[in-house]
Amino acid sequence: MSIAAKPVSSASKQRFDIERVRADFPILQQKVRGKPLVYLDNAATSQKPRAVIEAISRYYEGTNANIHRGVHFLSEHATEEYEAVRGIAQRFLNAAESREIIFVRGTTEGINLVAQSYGRAHIQAGDEILITDMEHHSNIVPWQILCDERGAKLRVAPINDAGELILDEFANLLGPKTKLVAITHVSNALGTINPIRRIVEMAHSRNVPVLVDGAQAVPHLKVDVQALDCDFYAFSGHKVYGPTGIGVLYGKAALLEAMPPYQGGGDMIASVTFEKTIYNKLPYKFEAGTPDIAGVIGLGAALQYVSGLGIENIGAYENEVLAYATQAVSAIPDVRLIGTAKVKAGVLSFVLDNIHPHDIGTILDQEGIAIRTGHHCSQPVMKRFGIAATARASFALYNTKEEADALVRGIEKVREVFA
Amino acid sequence: MSDLRDLYQDVILEHSKAPRNYRELVAANHKAEGYNPLCGDRFTVYLDMEGDSIRDISFQGSGCAISKASASMMTQIVKGKTKAEAEQLFDRFHKLVTGHAPANGEAELGKLAVFSGVSEFPVRVKCATLAWHTLHAALEGKQEAISTE
């Protein structure tokens, strides 16, 4: 494959009009340090289409009111819009019921909710929670806190040199003491896609529920929680073109029903006296306090934007760009890719011999290219590969092969500076 | 590229590739570890103190070009200095890389003036000062050791 810029093939152009897509994202039109912005830090957060920005403005300009309480026009209207997004999220994940959709601040809060509510009710001393070596800190630390509190043990399934979960080792660790599996769908540092359906089958055969960290998956893959049969699935709005501070925790209704509340406050109660409080039904039991209403409405616009383009079309286009970028970057002398799993999404992590990722990041930034450098909140992954940090280019639906070429030129410049 | 060359001056690149005093100091009577959790940079600074002065100093660890060159040049400049002199240099260096240096400040810093370009890259200030913070901790550690004796 040549590194020269090539137009997207006509077949995928019909499916996916990249010029139109890019025009939907106002921030992409700007120059950074005099160069066109090449935004390749999408695994950290994605940019927002005009539809999302306008939905939030429209809400504050025309609908703003508190939800679920007022009898007045605006409150009714705001409640309607807010609850409509629950339906959008339900369809997006193909959840069986809308009450299985809990609005949270993001993936991290979703995982903490399960750890603190489900975990405290079900995890006893001597029990084990099984995670993997490729988890983000937010799918490690909540379980460590829970394990410390309950006297339980955290077990970690290893990964191979390509950054893939070693399924046999995972199976060996899945034992009679395992009470919960928590695993990422797509690794933020490596891009590896885990075989969630298979993992759920393995866990369920031992009656162990599975929580999936979907933060890096929902922007790239069709997620069907019923087909996966996972018990919990958490994702963040801001990584899928929505606003920051809002996300979704999906949980199977039967599990959520049996769980104690996570936080106490308004909206999560049916009635309160000083003697006894009756908790509200699902999903409100888990939504204490006035939520980020504008965030939810922005999230709804983002999910509709993605569904409008078609997640399969997005995934196919992104795979083409990622494959092109991977080939081009790996052809540069002294580059070592970190994370070479057979099935990947969105992420191109690499190191350069004798050049620290931080220096790569600074020099690329001078070229208008935004990447992430560091440990990506996945220090165990870095340790596994014997490195302190990587440079990570991460792709979204608006990135192009021309931008991959710009990345390659930028890395060449890094090598010149350090030559 | 002019901005980049302000940051990655030849002296800095040269020190990052061939850091001076890059070894474990067997005779060290004090050492400290510095860690930047944001980027994973990690250095150990070894000191051989004779009374109040730095008889020998070395460092080891991993980090970016800026942090490594800064550590390397720091060990050269503070060797033979007293604790107070080293702390004063740290103060001046910190002002330099954060863009708060007085007009004539660079002269006092000698070779370290090559780090003035860091002030244009605020996110890299921590890289440039990591070794100095670690030196400070090592020097403080000595004081504590004295106070317990």
Side-chain angles (χ1 to χ4, degrees):
Chain A
M1 201 195 285
S2 116
I3 299 174
K6 278 190 294 187
V8 179
S9 68
S10 57
S12 67
K13 208 163 197 171
Q14 279 169 4
R15 292 199 312 265
F16 197 81
D17 185 343
I18 184 65
E19 289 312 317
R20 271 184 61 184
V21 166
R22 288 184 66 80
D24 289 338
F25 291 80
I27 207 169
L28 297 181
Q29 320 308 324
Q30 72 180 299
K31 291 196 166 182
V32 166
R33 305 190 195 285
K35 312 264 169 66
L37 169 65
V38 176
Y39 186 78
L40 295 175
D41 194 17
N42 295 286
T45 196
S46 62
Q47 300 302 346
K48 319 306 172 198
R50 194 171 283 107
V52 168
I53 300 164
E54 284 175 357
I56 295 167
S57 298
R58 214 167 36 238
Y59 167 74
Y60 278 128
E61 286 178 10
T63 319
N64 180 54
N66 212 332
I67 53 166
H68 297 148
R69 326 176 160 47
V71 292
H72 57 82
F73 175 85
L74 285 182
S75 174
E76 209 172 283
H77 197 47
T79 305
E80 235 167 63
E81 280 196 32
Y82 178 89
E83 287 303 326
V85 178
R86 210 183 295 280
I88 292 169
Q90 178 201 349
R91 288 188 291 281
F92 189 79
L93 293 177
N94 193 33
E97 304 174 55
S98 69
R99 65 190 182 122
E100 296 178 317
I101 301 294
I102 314 290
F103 291 122
V104 289
R105 279 191 297 149
T107 310
T108 299
E109 189 178 51
I111 296 171
N112 276 281
L113 188 160
V114 175
Q116 290 303 307
S117 169
Y118 180 88
R120 279 166 141 178
H122 292 88
I123 305 299
Q124 310 296 334
D127 288 349
E128 293 179 0
I129 294 168
L130 179 55
I131 62 170
T132 81
D133 208 5
M134 70 172 94
E135 301 307 318
H136 187 281
H137 294 167
S138 60
N139 202 25
I140 302 173
V141 181
W143 308 117
Q144 282 177 329
I145 293 172
L146 176 66
C147 285
D148 279 353
E149 216 175 271
R150 311 302 296 194
K153 196 167 181 214
L154 192 64
R155 303 300 298 268
V156 183
I159 58 176
N160 64 22
D161 290 342
E164 295 162 322
L165 180 65
I166 304 171
L167 277 177
D168 288 347
E169 301 271 359
F170 179 85
N172 290 340
L173 286 165
L174 195 59
K177 291 180 180 167
T178 312
K179 290 295 181 304
L180 187 75
V181 167
I183 183 168
T184 190
H185 197 165
V186 173
S187 156
N188 72 304
L190 304 166
T192 312
I193 303 176
N194 277 316
I196 296 298
R197 178 75 199 99
R198 175 92 189 87
I199 282 157
V200 170
E201 271 171 16
M202 289 161 78
H204 282 184
S205 72
R206 291 181 167 275
N207 293 317
V208 176
V210 178
L211 172 139
V212 180
D213 168 354
Q216 300 294 338
V218 291
H220 310 295
L221 312 176
K222 172 68 195 154
V223 173
D224 180 334
V225 290
Q226 292 188 80
L228 292 173
D229 199 27
C230 57
D231 301 276
F232 300 102
Y233 195 100
F235 76 88
S236 300
H238 73 97
K239 296 203 201 277
V240 61
Y241 314 107
T244 52
I246 195 69
V248 165
L249 172 70
Y250 157 83
K252 283 182 178 166
L255 287 170
L256 293 174
E257 288 275 19
M259 281 158 58
Y262 172 48
Q263 293 176 331
D267 239 19
M268 56 76 70
I269 44 83
S271 79
V272 175
T273 66
F274 286 116
E275 289 70 41
K276 186 173 172 58
T277 290
I278 309 213
Y279 302 131
N280 205 339
K281 59 186 202 275
L282 286 180
Y284 313 109
K285 182 171 83 176
F286 292 107
E287 292 181 4
T290 297
D292 184 353
I293 305 165
V296 165
I297 285 161
L299 173 66
L303 298 182
Q304 281 182 312
Y305 180 81
V306 168
S307 300
L309 290 171
I311 188 74
E312 286 91 352
N313 296 335
I314 292 169
Y317 172 79
E318 287 177 342
N319 280 345
E320 215 176 296
V321 176
L322 180 63
Y324 178 85
T326 302
Q327 200 278 334
V329 169
S330 60
I332 301 170
D334 307 329
V335 162
R336 178 160 70 107
L337 299 186
I338 304 295
T340 48
K342 281 181 212 77
V343 278
K344 281 181 67 172
V347 170
L348 180 54
S349 243
F350 61 95
V351 291
L352 272 171
D353 286 351
N354 301 318
I355 304 177
H356 193 278
H358 232 146
D359 297 312
I360 300 172
T362 291
I363 295 169
L364 291 180
D365 178 54
Q366 293 299 303
E367 301 299 310
I369 303 168
I371 63 158
R372 171 84 182 267
T373 63
H375 54 57
H376 319 296
C377 294
S378 298
Q379 286 176 323
V381 174
M382 301 297 114
K383 197 176 168 199
R384 167 67 180 74
F385 286 92
I387 49 182
T390 77
R392 180 188 70 185
S394 54
F395 295 80
L397 53 82
Y398 40 66
N399 290 124
T400 64
K401 290 183 182 176
E402 288 75 11
E403 290 181 313
D405 292 335
L407 173 66
V408 169
R409 287 194 300 274
I411 298 171
E412 295 289 4
K413 186 152 266 174
V414 174
R415 295 183 67 242
E416 275 169 38
V417 171
F418 279 83
Chain B
M1 280 297 275
S2 62
D3 282 354
L4 262 189
R5 279 296 173 199
D6 285 346
L7 182 65
Y8 293 107
Q9 300 214 19
D10 288 341
V11 178
I12 291 177
L13 290 173
E14 197 269 320
H15 271 267
S16 79
K17 285 173 195 162
R20 316 299 197 274
N21 301 308
Y22 188 79
R23 61 179 191 280
E24 190 182 338
L25 197 61
V26 186
N29 44 26
H30 280 280
K31 67 172 186 178
E33 193 180 13
Y35 178 54
N36 182 346
L38 283 175
C39 59
D41 287 3
R42 193 185 287 273
F43 289 110
T44 304
V45 170
Y46 302 89
L47 289 176
D48 175 13
M49 299 296 292
E50 186 179 35
D52 211 27
S53 48
I54 300 168
R55 180 161 52 195
D56 202 0
I57 177 170
S58 73
F59 82 104
Q60 270 185 322
S62 70
C64 63
I66 305 302
S67 63
K68 202 174 238 180
S70 173
S72 170
M73 294 175 73
M74 176 190 81
T75 60
Q76 286 188 312
I77 200 163
V78 302
K79 198 183 282 191
K81 297 269 194 306
T82 65
K83 179 181 182 244
E85 285 167 343
E87 295 284 15
Q88 194 182 24
L89 275 169
F90 179 21
D91 184 54
R92 284 181 184 151
F93 183 76
H94 197 269
K95 287 192 170 109
L96 175 79
V97 296
T98 52
H100 297 108
N104 60 345
E106 295 193 6
E108 292 159 339
L109 282 164
K111 279 186 186 173
L112 295 182
V114 297
F115 286 96
S116 64
V118 173
S119 65
E120 292 167 45
F121 296 81
V123 296
R124 305 304 297 273
V125 168
K126 281 184 180 169
C127 310
T129 54
L130 177 60
W132 287 92
H133 282 291
T134 313
L135 169 66
H136 175 72
L139 289 168
E140 289 297 306
K142 181 203 169 234
Q143 222 172 29
E144 279 172 22
I146 284 172
S147 70
T148 56
E149 278 169 5

